[in-house]
């Protein structure tokens, strides 16, 4: 394999600084994807205090994601780079090549108190680029060496490459892994999550992690209204999650924030035009589905989870978000805060991590 382009150009320098490098790989799995290698000045990202996030610190070694999930809430973050939230988000990947080095320095700082670190909350840290850049082994080793608790949310099967590191970390600190599996339908998966391993592959990853003593659960997300939300579909998905040995299942209904909303609705118009008006009505009030709908889906998932012996999330490393009266506008200098949670509709949507 080889690089078919390597260099510094004016556009890259303007976006990422003069030391940024743009690369394009000529192998089939990276065809059409541009990588922007940058050197981060910091890697521990503090979530704004007034956010509804259930965690305070994140590490995101990548921006943009070749998983190309049409509903991805993180699409808006690419607009801060003067890139579009559609095709550019899927194909213009920012790589923080010194992530592990910077993390070691920040974890060793006297001011750091060993707080929980969440990964995969903005884009997937085990997307395809990780196979080339291998940033996660260094990140995991840094967290292990400081016995710093952490959690990972991923759709990527590549996490199994780092199984031994995860096992080592779990011996000295709290480690929790969640696989994102919203549905089982193969045709829907290929259409809406084209760059990801199959749902069955992700469940197999969950099983392997659990068998190796790594606390593993499933974020059943997103549940897609009118596409993956029938009782029969929900029951089949929960049954498969339980069979994979997940310690818990956490349902999350699709939310459509700006950036993701436009891309998802364009996909819906192409593939399911008869649903466009129903979606417009369901999401007329904002980014989130109505409370009654969230409650119905969550109640059904919890009933099926009880049937199959796989309860809601209650493991170390997972907690409910604290209800906040308001969420301030995002700071464009730190757009990696992760998936915002809606106002709590009661005992409905549990929050991962």
């Amino acid at each position: 394999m080889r690089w078919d382009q390597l260099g510094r150009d004016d556009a890259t320098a303007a976006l990422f600084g003069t030391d940024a490098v743009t690369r394009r790989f000529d192998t089939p799995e990276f065809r059409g994807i541009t990588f922007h290698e940058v050197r981060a000045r910091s890697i521990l990202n503090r979530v704004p205090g007034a956010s509804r996030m259930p965690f305070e610190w994140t590490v995101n070694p990548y921006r943009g994601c070749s998983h190309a999930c049409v509903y991805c809430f993180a699409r808006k973050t690419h607009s801060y780079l003067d890139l579009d939230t559609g095709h550019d988000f899927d194909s213009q990947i920012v790589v923080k090549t010194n992530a592990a080095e910077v993390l070691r320095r920040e974890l060793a700082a006297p001011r750091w108190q060993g707080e929980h670190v969440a990964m995969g909350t903005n884009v997937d840290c085990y997307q395809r680029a990780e196979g080339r850049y291998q940033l996660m082994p260094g990140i995991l080793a840094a967290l292990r060496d400081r016995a710093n608790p952490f959690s990972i949310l991923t759709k990527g099967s590549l996490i199994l490459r780092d199984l031994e590191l995860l096992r080592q970390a779990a011996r000295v600190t709290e480690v929790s892994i969640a696989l994102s599996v919203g549905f089982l339908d193969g045709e829907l998966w290929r259409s809406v999550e084209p760059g990801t391993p199959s749902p069955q592959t992700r469940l197999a990853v969950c099983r392997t992690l659990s068998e190796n003593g790594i606390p593993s659960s499933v974020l059943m997300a997103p549940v897609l209204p009118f596409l993956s939300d029938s009782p029969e579909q929900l029951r089949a998905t929960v049954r498969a999650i339980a069979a994979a040995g997940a310690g818990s299942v956490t349902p999350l209904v699709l939310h459509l924030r700006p950036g993701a909303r436009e891309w998802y609705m364009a996909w819906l118009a192409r593939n399911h035009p008869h649903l466009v008006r129903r979606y417009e009505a369901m999401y007329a009030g904002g980014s989130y589905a109505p409370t009654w709908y969230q409650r119905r889906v969550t109640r059904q998932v919890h009933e099926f989870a009880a049937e199959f012996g796989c309860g809601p999330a209650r493991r170390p490393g997972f907690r409910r978000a604290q209800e906040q009266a308001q969420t301030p506008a995002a700071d464009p200098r730190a757009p990696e805060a992760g998936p915002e949670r809606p106002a709590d509709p009661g005992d409905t949507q549990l929050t991962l991590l």
Side-chain angles (χ1 to χ4, degrees), residues 5-178:
Q5 180 174 332
L6 166 61
R8 296 174 174 85
D9 55 44
D10 292 341
T12 298
L15 283 174
F16 307 112
T18 57
D19 61 346
V21 174
T22 295
R23 299 185 192 265
R24 296 183 182 91
F25 227 16
D26 68 351
T27 53
E29 66 269 29
F30 295 129
R31 191 159 294 144
I33 299 177
T34 300
F35 297 97
H36 303 279
E37 298 178 1
V38 303
R39 294 188 62 80
R41 287 174 290 185
S42 64
I43 197 68
L44 280 166
N45 179 62
R46 186 162 199 166
V47 178
S51 171
R52 298 189 180 102
M53 290 297 85
F55 42 80
E56 295 182 14
W57 295 93
T58 64
V59 166
N60 293 300
Y62 302 99
R63 292 180 67 173
C65 187
S66 59
H67 282 346
C69 302
V70 297
Y71 52 74
C72 183
F73 65 85
R75 288 183 175 277
K76 180 65 175 178
T77 64
H78 248 42
S79 67
Y80 294 99
L81 303 176
D82 291 329
L83 297 170
D84 75 56
T85 63
H87 181 69
D88 283 351
F89 181 84
D90 301 339
S91 63
Q92 301 283 331
I93 311 299
V94 179
V95 184
K96 302 173 187 178
T97 57
N98 63 336
E101 170 192 341
V102 174
L103 180 60
R104 280 193 177 274
R105 183 181 72 230
E106 293 182 335
L107 292 177
R111 65 180 178 275
W112 180 251
Q113 300 300 307
E115 293 96 331
H116 181 93
V117 173
M119 291 175 281
T121 61
N122 189 57
V123 300
D124 203 317
C125 51
Y126 282 104
Q127 61 177 285
R128 274 179 285 168
E130 175 60 16
R132 161 65 191 176
Y133 287 97
Q134 301 186 44
L135 302 182
M136 287 302 292
I139 290 170
L140 295 177
L143 292 162
R144 175 204 61 194
D145 292 348
R146 303 295 298 190
N148 202 104
F150 65 88
S151 54
I152 299 172
L153 172 63
T154 184
K155 289 187 175 78
S157 57
L158 189 58
I159 191 173
L160 292 183
R161 179 201 62 193
D162 297 335
L163 180 58
E164 182 55 32
L165 276 169
L166 294 170
R167 293 176 64 182
Q168 293 171 10
R171 287 197 284 267
V172 298
T173 190
E174 289 184 357
V175 175
S176 54
I177 311 297

Side-chain angles (χ1 to χ4, degrees), residues 315-353:
R315 305 179 72 89
F318 297 82
R319 64 184 177 89
R320 290 180 184 274
Q322 297 299 312
E323 175 65 14
Q324 301 290 338
Q326 295 181 347
T327 300
D331 182 352
R333 294 168 298 180
E336 299 184 37
E340 187 177 357
R341 184 174 185 261
D344 188 359
D347 187 15
T348 58
Q349 304 273 117
L350 299 179
T351 304
L352 194 64
L353 307 172

Side-chain angles (χ1 to χ4, degrees), residues 67-72 75 183 187-196 222 224 227 264 267:
H67 282 346
C69 302
V70 297
Y71 52 74
C72 183
R75 288 183 175 277
F183 46 82
E187 184 177 351
L188 183 60
W189 157 62
R190 289 184 183 90
S191 181
V192 80
E193 300 171 344
T196 66
L224 301 175
L227 291 170
Y264 183 85
W267 169 85

